[in-house]
Amino acid sequence: MSRRRHKQRLDPAPFDCQIEDLASDGRGVARVDGKVVFVADALPGESVRAKRTKGGRDADAAQTLEVLEASEDRVEPGCPHFGLCGGCVLQHLAPAAQRRFKQQQLADAFARIGRVTPEQWVAPLEGPIWAYRRRARLGVRHVPKKGGTLVGFRERGTPFLAVLERCEVLDARVGTQLQAIGALIDGLTIVDQIPQIEVAATDRVALVFRVLQPPSREDREALRRFGKQHDFDIWLQPGGIDSARPLLGDTPLPRFSPDGGAHQLELRPTDFIQINGTLSEAMIARAMDWLGPVRDQRVLELFAGLGAFTVPLAAAGARVTAVEGEAGLVARGRANTEAQGFDVDWHCADLFEPQGDLLQGEWDSALLDPPRAGAREVLPLLVERGIRRMVYVSCHPATLARDAGILVHEYGFRLERACVMDMFPHTAHVESMALLTRTDDGAGD
């Protein structure tokens, strides 16, 4: 016998409520008749009129219809698509208040998950709030009823692509050309065979078209003309990430400076780099300041990627051992450091299942930049290798808090400093950084 799922019945009537807090996803939190309601586009301290959009056993979701009493932190969104496009959720909140919200998210995670408190909160890193995004994955879909091919991000709360004229947070070289890219695809024979485009906008703009079918000769010529007209490097990706190739064989690789200095790193446009270039440079400067590398200091760098931290560390005279789990990134990272004249000891290893003999020797300090899963599995190895000073760069407050708690309570480290980095303005995404130092006896709680 099939079992039917009974949907929660929604009261269609608008209701007034007082917003008490912001949830981790940027929605306002209210209590209505004793039940939690998450209200989109509402801010703490506001009185709003809202309408339920989804019901649940423990909480409902709602959308703001009218702001009855506005917060002093409310601002006018800078994008006409705000509220439709799901890319940004906090454009109605002043940038300084966004950073306070993100620091509170990190502080709550430290207290709740790690049971730790930083000895010092350092001022958040901030930078441009518009046209900051140099990496993106744009969805593509041919929808004749909506005027042709749509290029951009999904609508908020749906799987459908939003109809966008432009994107205000994308690098302006690309963000102003979404409709032109859609018009280009409309004219291709494989209009229904391009599901996404990867954007890498550094010194050059590279667009990587994921193609499920090979483009015709006419398609390739149209792509070539478009690239020349807009000064874009066109790449085609018929399979996995490693299959991406430039449309024109003599296309140079994009380059960027990790710290704003003279050293330039090459990348493939599908490689990971920090989305916000200005913030990334500030992050590296702060990490260098906190770690304090000096000549001949032994530094272990984990999750090293292309070498964005590696090169500045080596330029400071440190003896760097860099470890990364993806072989392609290791090869390109090694090529980058060698091209700059630095002797870095590169290793390819799975840092989520580290072996006991992964690295031999001892190091003075470490720099970690793990993905969302954090670095829990490799922490015992760091302790065994004598690390006493560690900068931990994080893209997820919960795993940073968890790992900081382990280091403090089990291995005798101090959570000396922490800060948030506004890498993704107008979103609820929290990037952060912490400095952990080991006490003399190395004992935990």
Side-chain angles (χ1 to χ4, degrees):
M1 180 184 294
S2 63
R3 300 175 64 184
R4 295 183 179 179
R5 297 181 68 182
H6 297 282
K7 291 185 178 180
Q8 189 84 12
R9 248 185 158 175
L10 291 180
D11 183 349
F15 61 94
D16 295 351
C17 61
Q18 192 74 23
I19 306 301
E20 302 172 358
D21 200 356
L22 273 185
S24 60
D25 62 3
R27 291 182 295 174
V29 181
R31 289 187 178 273
V32 180
D33 297 329
K35 189 176 186 181
V36 172
V37 182
F38 296 106
V39 186
D41 303 331
L43 300 175
E46 292 188 331
S47 175
V48 304
R49 183 160 294 152
K51 183 178 181 178
R52 287 179 175 82
T53 56
K54 188 176 181 181
R57 182 185 301 274
D58 300 317
D60 293 342
Q63 174 63 49
T64 298
L65 300 176
E66 180 184 357
V67 178
L68 305 176
E69 183 177 347
S71 164
E72 62 181 12
D73 291 324
R74 178 173 283 274
V75 296
E76 189 67 24
C79 176
H81 304 301
F82 178 71
L84 169 67
C85 175
C88 297
V89 297
L90 291 176
Q91 285 191 19
H92 59 308
L93 181 62
Q98 292 183 33
R99 292 188 287 272
R100 291 196 300 271
F101 160 70
K102 293 175 182 183
Q103 180 165 309
Q104 189 60 52
Q105 294 294 309
L106 180 59
D108 290 347
F110 276 142
R112 186 181 70 256
I113 300 171
R115 297 181 293 111
V116 292
T117 302
E119 296 175 11
Q120 179 188 9
W121 280 104
V122 180
L125 289 177
E126 57 185 273
I129 63 172
W130 303 110
Y132 65 82
R133 186 163 186 163
R134 63 181 178 180
R135 285 285 284 114
R137 175 174 293 171
L138 304 177
V140 178
R141 189 165 182 83
H142 185 58
V143 188
K145 291 182 179 179
K146 293 186 177 181
T149 298
L150 307 181
V151 177
F153 302 103
R154 291 191 180 96
E155 295 177 356
R156 185 188 292 182
T158 82
F160 306 113
L161 286 183
V163 180
L164 303 180
E165 294 180 5
R166 55 190 290 144
C167 175
E168 300 294 344
V169 299
L170 267 178
D171 184 298
R173 292 172 290 177
V174 181
T176 58
Q177 300 298 325
L178 299 183
Q179 291 189 323
I181 297 171
L184 163 71
I185 297 172
D186 275 337
L188 303 180
T189 64
I190 56 170
V191 61
D192 292 319
Q193 300 297 315
I194 301 176
Q196 68 186 40
I197 300 170
E198 296 274 356
V199 176
T202 54
D203 65 325
R204 314 172 64 86
V205 174
L207 302 182
V208 184
F209 288 73
R210 176 75 172 95
V211 289
L212 304 181
Q213 295 290 335
S216 68
R217 183 170 59 182
E218 292 77 13
D219 291 340
R220 295 175 69 91
E221 176 59 22
L223 289 163
R224 184 197 67 78
R225 288 196 306 268
F226 185 82
K228 182 177 181 181
Q229 177 186 355
H230 295 278
D231 199 21
F232 293 161
D233 293 338
I234 306 298
W235 289 56
L236 301 178
Q237 181 188 336
I241 288 177
D242 291 339
S243 71
R245 296 291 184 273
L247 179 67
L248 303 178
D250 58 351
T251 301
L253 289 175
R255 298 167 65 87
F256 73 104
S257 169
D259 57 1
H263 299 294
Q264 296 284 317
L265 308 187
E266 285 188 342
L267 71 151
R268 288 172 56 83
T270 51
D271 285 340
F272 169 81
I273 57 172
Q274 292 290 352
I275 276 178
N276 189 322
T278 302
L279 249 291
S280 181
E281 292 175 12
M283 172 188 70
I284 290 171
R286 181 166 287 181
M288 294 287 289
D289 177 59
W290 286 9
L291 201 63
V294 295
R295 182 160 299 280
D296 293 331
Q297 182 179 353
R298 300 164 301 174
V299 179
L300 177 62
E301 183 191 2
L302 303 183
F303 309 97
L306 287 167
F309 284 105
T310 320
V311 166
L313 286 168
R319 294 157 54 192
V320 185
T321 300
V323 186
E324 165 59 43
E326 185 181 329
L329 287 177
V330 171
R332 291 190 284 283
R334 181 181 288 116
N336 275 324
T337 52
E338 288 178 351
Q340 305 301 322
F342 298 126
D343 182 16
V344 173
D345 185 18
W346 281 89
H347 295 265
C348 183
D350 183 353
L351 294 172
F352 297 106
E353 293 185 4
Q355 303 301 312
D357 60 349
L358 170 61
L359 296 168
Q360 298 301 319
E362 291 192 348
W363 286 266
D364 304 303
S365 57
L367 191 149
L368 290 70
D369 185 9
R372 286 179 61 86
R376 173 171 52 189
E377 293 80 4
V378 80
L379 297 182
L381 177 68
L382 294 176
V383 176
E384 291 171 10
R385 299 298 183 259
I387 302 297
R388 306 190 69 81
R389 190 174 186 85
M390 182 188 312
V391 169
Y392 190 130
V393 178
S394 170
C395 61
H396 191 40
T399 51
L400 171 59
R402 178 200 67 199
D403 293 349
I406 292 171
L407 289 166
V408 169
H409 300 304
E410 297 183 23
Y411 296 118
F413 279 78
R414 297 162 47 212
L415 179 54
E416 190 171 322
R417 301 174 198 163
C419 72
V420 295
M421 304 179 288
D422 200 10
M423 191 74 73
F424 294 79
H426 311 304
T427 77
H429 186 76
V430 182
E431 298 258 345
S432 55
M433 187 162 60
L435 171 65
L436 295 114
T437 55
R438 199 174 186 194
T439 56
D440 290 340
D441 59 9
D445 289 350

